[in-house]
Amino acid sequence: MKRNDYISWDDYFMGISLLSGMRSKDPSTQVGACIVDKNNRIVSIGYNGFINGCSDEDFPWTRDGEFLETKYPYVVHAEQNAILNARGKSLEGCSIYVNLFPCHDCARNIIQSGIKKVYYLVDKYADTDSIKASKYMFNKANVELIQLKPSMDKIEIEFK
């Protein structure tokens, strides 16, 4: 008899996204992304962080102040990192799992890459122009948006 307490595909992929986000060194926002093909195979993952080849010590992590003194011109978002980490693999028809609803920059990349479904946990910036633009573009590009309601509160991993 098989076990019945295994996790769903959606919870599994969102769990991978959240685990990936734990790699982020950003003190205020940790976002992860997991791209999955139609056969439930992980194609790529990513998290928000600074660009490859540059030390995290050389760039600011702050959110406030003069633009060039903040993290915003330097951080690559989780969705963008996952798309870039696919290294040329086709993402046509794939789904992306991300814990925070994608900004307008990420929405453009998601649409251009051919991803057709966006699963997300929270939409805490829904009232911002960036997210309004994202939703408008996703709608026009027929990208399905699914706010995931996990079937469990937590997934625990023990290193034994």
Side-chain angles (χ1 to χ4, degrees), residues 96 115-120 138-139 141-146:
I96 189 167
I115 292 171
K116 290 299 182 187
K117 287 185 183 178
V118 175
Y119 292 86
Y120 64 96
F138 284 140
N139 181 48
N142 295 314
V143 173
E144 188 176 354
L145 303 174
I146 302 149

Side-chain angles (χ1 to χ4, degrees), residues 17-154:
S17 171
L18 290 165
L19 186 63
S20 180
M22 293 174 73
R23 283 283 309 141
S24 175
K25 296 172 186 164
D26 190 323
S28 61
T29 308
Q30 299 82 46
V31 180
C34 179
I35 300 174
V36 179
D37 70 15
K38 64 182 179 179
N39 296 312
N40 288 327
R41 291 190 179 100
I42 296 172
V43 177
S44 187
I45 57 176
Y47 57 89
N48 60 314
F50 292 132
I51 53 178
N52 283 335
C54 295
S55 171
D56 295 327
E57 306 302 322
D58 295 338
F59 293 91
W61 285 107
T62 185
R63 298 172 62 150
D64 301 315
E66 296 293 321
F67 183 66
L68 293 178
E69 301 298 320
T70 69
K71 65 182 180 177
Y72 297 111
Y74 312 112
V75 168
V76 180
H77 287 182
E79 302 92 327
Q80 294 167 327
N81 260 328
I83 290 167
L84 292 168
N85 288 341
R87 301 282 184 189
K89 293 177 192 166
S90 175
L91 303 180
E92 196 68 40
C94 284
S95 299
I96 189 167
Y97 290 77
V98 62
N99 50 307
L100 185 62
F101 195 92
C103 73
H104 68 281
D105 280 331
C106 291
R108 289 191 302 243
N109 285 280
I110 288 166
I111 293 164
Q112 282 296 101
S113 71
I115 292 171
K116 290 299 182 187
K117 287 185 183 178
V118 175
Y119 292 86
Y120 64 96
L121 284 179
V122 296
D123 189 8
K124 71 179 184 178
Y125 299 111
D127 293 331
T128 66
D129 288 342
S130 176
I131 300 305
K132 289 175 185 176
S134 293
K135 290 177 180 176
Y136 182 73
M137 289 185 285
F138 284 140
N139 181 48
K140 293 298 182 183
N142 295 314
V143 173
E144 188 176 354
L145 303 174
I146 302 149
Q147 185 166 18
L148 189 61
K149 305 287 188 227
S151 61
M152 54 188 55
D153 292 331
K154 64 182 177 178

